Amino acid sequence: MALKTVKDVDFKGKSVIMRVDFNVPMKEGIVQDDTRITAAIPTITYILEKGAKTLTLASHLGDPAKDAAKAQEKAAKSGQSFDEAAFIQGKCRMRPVADYLAKKLGKPVVFAGEDGCFGKKTFIEGQAAGTVIMLENTRFHKEETAKDAAAREKLARELAGYGEIFVNDAFGTAHRDHASTASIAQFVKVSVAGFLMEKEVNYLEPIVTNPVKPLAAIIGGAKVSSKIAVLGSLLQNAKTLIIGGGMAFTFLKAQGHKIGKSLVEDDQLDTAKKILADAAAKGAEIVLPLDHVCAEAFDAAAKGMPVDGVDVPDNLMGMDVGPKTIKKYETVLAAAKTIVWNGPVGVFEFDAFGKGTAELAKIIAARTDNGVITVVGGGDSVAAVNKFKLAEKMSHVSTGGGASLELLEGKKLPGIEVCKG
């Protein structure tokens, strides 16, 4: 079934309930990164321009109960006092986000109150035509994330009463079967995707179903166990599969190489061997590090030590790829027509070990300039291209970490499926 979008419906005079992903980093009530807010503005503006009566926005912002419990535990361990009310006010309330959005839109955004998402129908209906309303954090309600469908239904029905049309533009939570992301669609006549959701689907789904070939996939990060499904999915179409980051050492050990003190998952060695065998059977090339930048300890202040070869000395751990590996990346990516990147190839957060990921980002950006489709998905990969100021050089940078990964795994995401028909 095809994805239905905002362009497929008439908004004139209609009330709209829209799920956005405004789960942005906050510090003392101040938005620290507005990427996700900015990404939703084209859909918000379009709906208002098409004459919607009211536009009510729903989002989560962290998970108040869980986040407060973690912060309290951390404070207790360090012997510090903890003010739960102040923590929630500064981290989880939507009012500051509503105020921030108002500045970006250049028009007021009415906050519906800190008393939650229930009982707001009369309030919404009383607003002037063209008003944007922001609900409180949906995760203040246990019904939002309840595993039981009947429990989710209570909140889903309530939110559905706030709009004749449901618009889902929250790709970052599209993999969650929550009340405000999927269950709500059962109780609204029309459910469509916003522009952000449409763009994410249009770039990510074809990589799994029908990519422009040759396809090169770059999978990095710490653990093989978290990337097994996506590796298997991408191998169906990839000509080249670059494996980097901590997970590469499990593959190198599976090949019989020495990895020193590098990160390894011994319980995933058989999995790594199977992936290597599957790739060989399909005629796909798996690219593993040829050389490294190592350290004696996992520390931001550690001195980088070059190792000119695949094997890592016993007293060192691999922290980044070396120049031979970077050159290999450039060679294999030169042949690709589509490149998808999920996960860094080194500990890029530490400046001494960020060169491999930075150079990889530059190579991919250069391929974009040559007409190659380049897609960056995954939180750390996105953080990397933002750090190196190369996000605008990519065809598409996904706003969803878990959602993009699951879509690349070939899974059907609840928040997307409800917008199809």
Side-chain angles (χ1 to χ4, degrees), residues 5 41 47 66 77 108 114 141 163 198 227 242 258 338 383:
T5 76
I41 287 178
I47 292 169
K66 289 181 180 179
K77 285 182 178 178
E114 293 185 353
H141 303 287
E198 180 186 22
K227 301 288 177 80
I242 293 173
K258 294 179 180 179
T338 302

Side-chain angles (χ1 to χ4, degrees), residues 195-218:
F195 293 126
L196 174 60
M197 183 77 83
E198 180 186 22
K199 184 181 180 184
E200 295 274 11
V201 171
N202 286 348
Y203 271 105
L204 291 167
E205 274 195 348
I207 289 172
V208 177
T209 58
N210 187 30
V212 176
K213 295 182 178 181
L215 167 66
I218 305 152

Side-chain angles (χ1 to χ4, degrees), residues 7 131 227 244 276 317 322 336 353 401 412:
K7 289 188 176 180
T131 298
K227 301 288 177 80
L276 289 166
M317 61 177 66
F353 309 104
K412 293 185 182 299

Side-chain angles (χ1 to χ4, degrees), residues 292-420:
H292 315 274
V293 178
C294 296
E296 292 182 339
F298 189 87
D299 192 315
K303 180 182 177 182
M305 300 179 183
V307 173
D308 186 22
V310 177
D311 294 320
V312 177
D314 292 343
N315 65 321
L316 299 178
M317 61 177 66
M319 300 283 279
D320 194 10
V321 295
K324 287 182 182 177
T325 308
I326 294 168
K327 186 65 178 176
K328 178 67 174 177
Y329 291 166
E330 190 170 18
T331 300
V332 297
L333 293 177
K337 294 290 181 66
T338 302
I339 299 171
V340 58
W341 180 21
N342 184 285
V345 295
V347 188
F348 76 95
E349 304 94 327
F350 300 167
D351 289 343
F353 309 104
K355 185 175 181 179
T357 300
E359 291 300 315
L360 176 59
K362 290 176 185 176
I363 292 167
I364 297 171
R367 298 304 299 146
T368 313
D369 289 339
N370 288 329
V372 174
I373 299 167
T374 56
V375 179
V376 180
D380 286 340
S381 302
V382 174
V385 295
N386 284 333
K387 177 179 179 178
F388 303 126
K389 302 189 184 330
L390 290 168
E392 292 183 1
K393 292 285 188 178
M394 308 298 171
S395 303
H396 179 62
V397 177
S398 180
T399 58
S404 61
L405 189 62
E406 289 197 18
L407 202 56
L408 290 173
E409 289 171 1
K411 292 181 179 178
K412 293 185 182 299
L413 309 193
I416 294 173
E417 292 304 304
V418 298
C419 298
K420 290 182 177 181

Side-chain angles (χ1 to χ4, degrees), residues 68-101:
K70 287 179 182 177
Q72 187 170 24
E73 182 181 354
K74 185 177 179 181
K77 285 182 178 178
S78 60
Q80 297 177 328
S81 61
F82 179 71
D83 186 333
E84 182 175 350
F87 174 85
I88 287 176
Q89 199 69 31
K91 289 278 190 179
C92 305
R93 295 288 183 187
M94 294 302 299
R95 184 188 294 275
V97 181
D99 293 341
Y100 192 95
L101 176 63

Side-chain angles (χ1 to χ4, degrees), residues 138-151:
T138 57
R139 289 193 186 174
F140 275 113
H141 303 287
K142 64 182 184 297
E143 295 90 350
E144 166 73 330
T145 59
K147 293 182 179 179
D148 179 58

Side-chain angles (χ1 to χ4, degrees), residues 112-193:
E114 293 185 353
D115 54 342
C117 299
F118 286 93
K120 300 298 179 181
K121 188 175 178 64
T122 301
F123 175 83
I124 291 168
E125 290 177 344
Q127 301 299 317
T131 298
V132 179
I133 302 119
M134 177 79 77
L135 295 175
E136 183 55 284
N137 184 345
T138 57
R139 289 193 186 174
F140 275 113
H141 303 287
K142 64 182 184 297
E143 295 90 350
E144 166 73 330
T145 59
K147 293 182 179 179
D148 179 58
R152 292 196 304 273
E153 182 178 326
K154 182 181 178 184
L155 179 58
R157 281 187 179 275
E158 186 72 15
L159 295 174
Y162 302 159
E164 299 161 82
I165 300 169
F166 170 54
V167 176
N168 194 352
D169 212 23
F171 178 73
T173 55
H175 58 315
R176 305 295 189 190
D177 191 2
H178 290 170
S180 69
T181 61
S183 300
I184 182 176
Q186 300 172 53
F187 312 108
V188 179
K189 290 181 179 179
V190 180
S191 298
V192 296

